[in-house]
Amino acid sequence: MATPSKSGFKWHIVVFLAPAVIVYTAVMIYPLFATLRLSFYSEVEQERIWVGLQNFATLFGDAIWSEQFWNALGNNAWFFLIHMLVQNPIGIALAAILSSPKLRFSAFYRSAIFIPTILSFVIVGFAWKLILSPIWGIAPDMLDAIGLKFLYQPWLGKEEYALTTLSLVSVWQFVGIPMMLIYAALLSIPDEILEAGECDGITGLSAFFKIKLPLILPSIGIISVLTFVANFNAFDLIYAAQGALAGPDFSTDILGTFMYRTFFGFQLQLGDPHMGSTIASAMFGIILIGVCIYLFGIQRRLRNYQF
Amino acid sequence: MKTSTTTGALLVTTFLAASAAMAQDAELIIESWRNDDLTIWQNKIIPAFEAEHPGIKVKFTPSAPAEYNAVLNSKLDAGSAGDIITCRPFDASLALYDAGHLADLSDIDGMSNFSSVAKSGWSTDDGSATYCVPMASVIHGFIYNKDAFDELGLSVPETEAEFFAALDAIKADGNYIPMAMGTNDQWEAATMGYNNIGPNYWKGEEGRNALIAGEQKLTDEAWVAPYRQMAKWGDYLGDGYEAQTYPDSQNIFTLGRAAIYPAGSWEISGFNAQADFAMGAFNPPVQNAGDTCYISDHTDIGIGMNAATSNPEAAKTFLNWVASSEFSNIFANELPGFFPLSNAAVELQDPLAQEFISWRAKCESSIRSTYQILSRGTPNLENETWNASVAVIKGAESPEDAGKRLQDGLASWYAPHQ
């Protein structure tokens, strides 16, 4: 085997990168740019014509479209807020409890809490729909058993509760992810630091808030940005539970379902790939801006500690 | 080693035999949203056809109703759709024809068995080309639990006043939910609600055509009055109807927990299988005794040919057979509730289906108001009607506001209303 000359082009780098680059381009980069491109066209008399930014002007300027768009974006923001306020704090708390050496059966709890994450959206959506159903569900009976029947509402059918209910179902499903990431981060904190803290009289809860929490902030940042991206791309759970019209009265309509309905059509509404792509591009823009704010505004201020 | 060579040889012969068979038989794949009918197609309809046409194999591959249009459009664009396409009525199929996905079938022999009204759902606006063979229509009305009616001493309501009197009596008795319908899935409120009772107010075809022509508006009394009736329905639906889905309603009724079910005739076969009590049906009650009754007798299913099929001759043979009276007879009796549209005389055996079809003789037929032309633009009138019907039942919107909202939406894109 000849030794490669040092000044020669390093072909092996290209060869090793090729599979990942080709696959990623084919399934991610090409579709992304094709979608962006599609949003600048429209179809008139079976012909695809270039219309520039007109689709975006319709989406934001025409009341029929913009109302739906802002409604979906608002719902999306609420969906995200619930995840940030409920899912992530609970995830962190669970991780903190699990990492305590005194807890027995921690491996069992860890698996039990993580399992919903690997379930299909369709199963989760359908199971919760049944649990909460006013007709066959166990929720009304369970509340009745503890004398709280008056609290029961057909939550998924009421405009004011449906989105919050579905957000909480999603939290139930995905709380395992922040828990696992934080758990891993907590385990990587060296015992010496905690012991040093103990010598200074910092134990228990204050050890968590004064030592552990600052050390896991970078992980919390990553979790926030993952939650943001996942929530603004969400579609499956709403579609599985409420259908493409995201009822009642569009109160659970998020950008994903709005895009699906527009792109593929629904019942008598014919699909419009161009407006659909326009919404998809807007979603892409929103997520891009959100991630950039995080990367440039927040992540740079976080300090990573090397042990 | 010996055995593996023998197995190999066997495999090769199997493949050869299989490919020889493939070369002879044309295989037709049917795209459909009627996944409920899978067994009937597999056990009755396809064997009957294959027995007559030995060279053609047919496969029925349905997808879920709500996803059908989206799935079909993607498959057609990708070139992976089946040879035979089950056609939704009006614009969804017209768009497929305009895009060159559905073949023009005007000249196949079987087309002469259909009236122009039957063909209207699958013809171009000027009627010059028909691209799907009309297969079936569905009729709207109310199915009721006969045992419950007998128990409470109720008779079949003919006028609106009698209808609400019956609902009140059932509610007062308390053993049955007066009416099984939910608003979670939205479409029942529009399809089994608004378009079920509506034709009595807008006088069927007369009002529907006037609306298309721009002579009537959705804010007119005839179009608002059905909402006014539906605003009263909310009191008679079961607890938590807001989260009740379509399958929930079906189950509540067939378990005998509800007395009246606002229905489409497509429910008949499912209900016959599920319910163990006697059922009857009545057409939407009229406003005053003696008024002409109108029913929604909606052209619902057609069947056409993928223009890109590799077996156009076999596909046409199949479609001609679908247009024949033989198919109509099998279809109407195997699927009571889907009424054939062909002129051929068909004997129905199911009593409930007979009840539904008898209304064609005493009432005037019409189709759903939002289906032809009016759902072409954005906002989509059909989807808006779902939303408005639900809002009215829940009391979230007044009938007048709903009518005004729909009219404003329609006028925003439909020239005859501007």
Coordinates of all heavy atoms in Angstrom, one line a residue, chain B residues 352-384:
Chain B
L352 N -85.2 -0.8 6.2 CA -84.8 0.6 6.5 C -84.4 1.3 5.2 O -84.8 2.5 5.0 CB -83.6 0.5 7.5 CG -83.4 1.7 8.4 CD1 -84.6 2.2 9.1 CD2 -82.3 1.4 9.4
A353 N -83.7 0.6 4.3 CA -83.3 1.2 3.1 C -84.5 1.5 2.2 O -84.6 2.6 1.6 CB -82.3 0.3 2.3
Q354 N -85.5 0.6 2.3 CA -86.8 0.9 1.5 C -87.5 2.1 2.0 O -88.0 2.9 1.3 CB -87.7 -0.3 1.7 CG -87.4 -1.5 0.8 CD -88.2 -2.7 1.2 OE1 -89.0 -2.7 2.1 NE2 -88.1 -3.7 0.3
E355 N -87.4 2.3 3.4 CA -88.0 3.5 4.0 C -87.4 4.8 3.4 O -88.0 5.7 3.0 CB -87.9 3.4 5.5 CG -88.4 4.6 6.3 CD -89.9 4.7 6.2 OE1 -90.6 3.6 6.4 OE2 -90.4 5.8 6.0
F356 N -86.0 4.8 3.4 CA -85.3 5.9 2.9 C -85.7 6.2 1.5 O -85.9 7.3 1.1 CB -83.8 5.7 3.1 CG -83.2 6.2 4.4 CD1 -83.1 5.4 5.4 CD2 -82.8 7.5 4.5 CE1 -82.5 5.8 6.6 CE2 -82.2 8.0 5.7 CZ -82.1 7.1 6.7
I357 N -85.6 5.1 0.6 CA -85.8 5.4 -0.8 C -87.2 5.7 -1.1 O -87.5 6.4 -2.1 CB -85.3 4.2 -1.6 CG1 -84.8 4.6 -3.0 CG2 -86.3 3.1 -1.7 CD1 -83.9 3.7 -3.7
S358 N -88.2 5.4 -0.2 CA -89.6 5.7 -0.5 C -89.8 7.2 -0.5 O -90.7 7.7 -1.1 CB -90.5 5.1 0.5 OG -90.3 5.7 1.8
W359 N -88.9 8.0 0.2 CA -89.1 9.4 0.2 C -88.9 10.0 -1.1 O -89.3 11.1 -1.4 CB -88.1 10.1 1.2 CG -88.2 9.5 2.6 CD1 -89.3 8.9 3.1 CD2 -87.2 9.5 3.6 NE1 -89.0 8.5 4.4 CE2 -87.7 8.8 4.7 CE3 -85.9 9.9 3.7 CZ2 -87.0 8.6 5.9 CZ3 -85.2 9.8 4.9 CH2 -85.7 9.1 6.0
R360 N -88.1 9.3 -2.0 CA -87.9 9.9 -3.4 C -89.3 10.1 -4.0 O -89.4 11.0 -4.9 CB -87.1 8.9 -4.2 CG -85.6 9.1 -4.0 CD -84.8 8.3 -5.0 NE -83.4 8.4 -4.8 CZ -82.5 7.6 -5.3 NH1 -82.8 6.6 -6.1 NH2 -81.2 7.7 -5.1
A361 N -90.3 9.2 -3.7 CA -91.6 9.3 -4.3 C -92.4 10.5 -3.7 O -93.1 11.2 -4.5 CB -92.3 8.0 -4.2
K362 N -92.3 10.7 -2.4 CA -93.2 11.7 -1.8 C -92.6 13.1 -1.6 O -93.3 14.1 -1.5 CB -93.8 11.2 -0.5 CG -92.8 11.1 0.7 CD -93.5 10.8 2.0 CE -92.5 10.7 3.1 NZ -93.1 10.5 4.4
C363 N -91.2 13.1 -1.6 CA -90.6 14.4 -1.4 C -89.8 14.8 -2.7 O -89.6 14.0 -3.6 CB -89.6 14.4 -0.3 SG -90.3 13.8 1.3
E364 N -89.3 16.1 -2.7 CA -88.5 16.6 -3.8 C -87.0 16.3 -3.4 O -86.6 16.6 -2.3 CB -88.7 18.1 -4.0 CG -90.1 18.5 -4.3 CD -90.5 18.1 -5.8 OE1 -89.6 18.2 -6.6 OE2 -91.7 17.8 -6.0
S365 N -86.2 15.8 -4.3 CA -84.8 15.6 -4.1 C -84.0 16.8 -4.4 O -84.2 17.5 -5.3 CB -84.3 14.4 -4.9 OG -84.9 13.2 -4.5
S366 N -82.9 16.9 -3.6 CA -81.9 18.0 -3.8 C -80.6 17.4 -3.4 O -80.5 16.3 -2.8 CB -82.3 19.2 -3.0 OG -81.3 20.2 -3.2
I367 N -79.5 18.1 -3.7 CA -78.2 17.7 -3.2 C -77.7 18.7 -2.2 O -78.3 19.8 -2.0 CB -77.2 17.5 -4.3 CG1 -76.9 18.8 -5.1 CG2 -77.6 16.4 -5.2 CD1 -75.8 18.7 -6.1
R368 N -76.6 18.4 -1.5 CA -76.1 19.4 -0.5 C -75.8 20.7 -1.1 O -75.1 20.8 -2.1 CB -74.9 18.7 0.2 CG -75.2 17.5 1.1 CD -74.0 17.0 1.7 NE -74.2 15.6 2.0 CZ -73.2 14.6 2.1 NH1 -72.0 15.0 1.9 NH2 -73.5 13.4 2.4
S369 N -76.2 21.8 -0.3 CA -76.1 23.1 -0.9 C -74.7 23.6 -1.2 O -74.5 24.4 -2.1 CB -76.8 24.1 0.1 OG -76.1 24.0 1.3
T370 N -73.7 23.1 -0.4 CA -72.4 23.7 -0.5 C -71.5 23.0 -1.5 O -70.4 23.4 -1.8 CB -71.7 23.6 0.8 OG1 -71.8 22.3 1.3 CG2 -72.3 24.6 1.8
Y371 N -72.0 21.9 -2.1 CA -71.0 21.1 -2.9 C -70.7 21.5 -4.3 O -69.6 21.4 -4.7 CB -71.5 19.6 -2.9 CG -71.1 18.8 -1.7 CD1 -71.3 19.3 -0.4 CD2 -70.3 17.7 -1.9 CE1 -70.9 18.6 0.7 CE2 -69.8 17.0 -0.8 CZ -70.1 17.4 0.5 OH -69.7 16.7 1.6
Q372 N -71.8 22.0 -5.0 CA -71.5 22.4 -6.4 C -71.1 23.9 -6.4 O -71.8 24.8 -5.9 CB -72.8 22.2 -7.2 CG -72.5 22.3 -8.7 CD -73.7 22.0 -9.5 OE1 -74.9 22.2 -9.1 NE2 -73.5 21.5 -10.7
I373 N -69.9 24.1 -7.0 CA -69.4 25.4 -7.3 C -69.0 26.3 -6.1 O -68.0 26.9 -6.0 CB -70.3 26.2 -8.3 CG1 -70.5 25.4 -9.6 CG2 -69.7 27.6 -8.6 CD1 -71.5 26.0 -10.5
L374 N -69.9 26.3 -5.1 CA -69.8 27.2 -4.0 C -68.6 27.0 -3.0 O -68.3 27.8 -2.2 CB -71.1 27.3 -3.2 CG -72.3 27.8 -4.0 CD1 -73.6 27.8 -3.1 CD2 -72.1 29.1 -4.6
S375 N -68.0 25.8 -3.1 CA -66.8 25.6 -2.3 C -65.5 25.7 -3.0 O -64.6 25.0 -2.7 CB -67.0 24.2 -1.6 OG -67.9 24.3 -0.5
R376 N -65.5 26.4 -4.1 CA -64.3 26.5 -4.9 C -63.3 27.5 -4.3 O -62.1 27.4 -4.7 CB -64.7 27.0 -6.3 CG -64.6 25.9 -7.3 CD -65.1 26.3 -8.6 NE -65.8 25.1 -9.1 CZ -66.5 25.1 -10.2 NH1 -66.5 26.1 -11.0 NH2 -67.0 23.9 -10.6
G377 N -63.7 28.5 -3.6 CA -62.8 29.5 -3.2 C -62.3 29.5 -1.8 O -62.6 28.5 -1.0
T378 N -61.6 30.5 -1.4 CA -61.1 30.6 0.0 C -61.8 31.8 0.6 O -61.7 32.9 0.0 CB -59.6 30.8 0.1 OG1 -59.0 29.7 -0.7 CG2 -59.1 30.8 1.5
P379 N -62.5 31.8 1.7 CA -62.7 30.6 2.6 C -63.6 29.6 1.9 O -64.5 30.0 1.2 CB -63.3 31.2 3.8 CG -64.0 32.4 3.4 CD -63.2 33.0 2.2
N380 N -63.4 28.4 2.3 CA -64.2 27.3 1.7 C -65.5 27.2 2.4 O -65.6 27.0 3.6 CB -63.4 26.0 2.0 CG -64.0 24.8 1.3 OD1 -65.0 24.3 1.8 ND2 -63.4 24.3 0.3
L381 N -66.6 27.3 1.6 CA -67.9 27.4 2.2 C -68.3 26.1 3.0 O -69.0 26.2 4.0 CB -69.0 27.7 1.1 CG -70.4 27.9 1.7 CD1 -70.5 29.1 2.6 CD2 -71.4 28.1 0.5
E382 N -67.9 25.0 2.5 CA -68.3 23.7 3.2 C -67.6 23.7 4.6 O -68.3 23.5 5.6 CB -67.8 22.5 2.4 CG -67.9 21.2 3.1 CD -69.3 20.6 3.3 OE1 -70.2 21.3 2.9 OE2 -69.4 19.6 3.9
N383 N -66.3 24.0 4.6 CA -65.6 24.0 5.9 C -66.2 25.0 6.9 O -66.4 24.8 8.1 CB -64.1 24.2 5.8 CG -63.4 23.1 5.1 OD1 -64.1 22.1 4.8 ND2 -62.2 23.2 4.8
E384 N -66.6 26.2 6.3 CA -67.1 27.3 7.1 C -68.5 26.9 7.7 O -68.9 27.2 8.8 CB -67.3 28.5 6.3 CG -66.0 29.1 5.8 CD -65.6 30.3 6.7 OE1 -66.2 31.3 6.7 OE2 -64.7 30.0 7.5

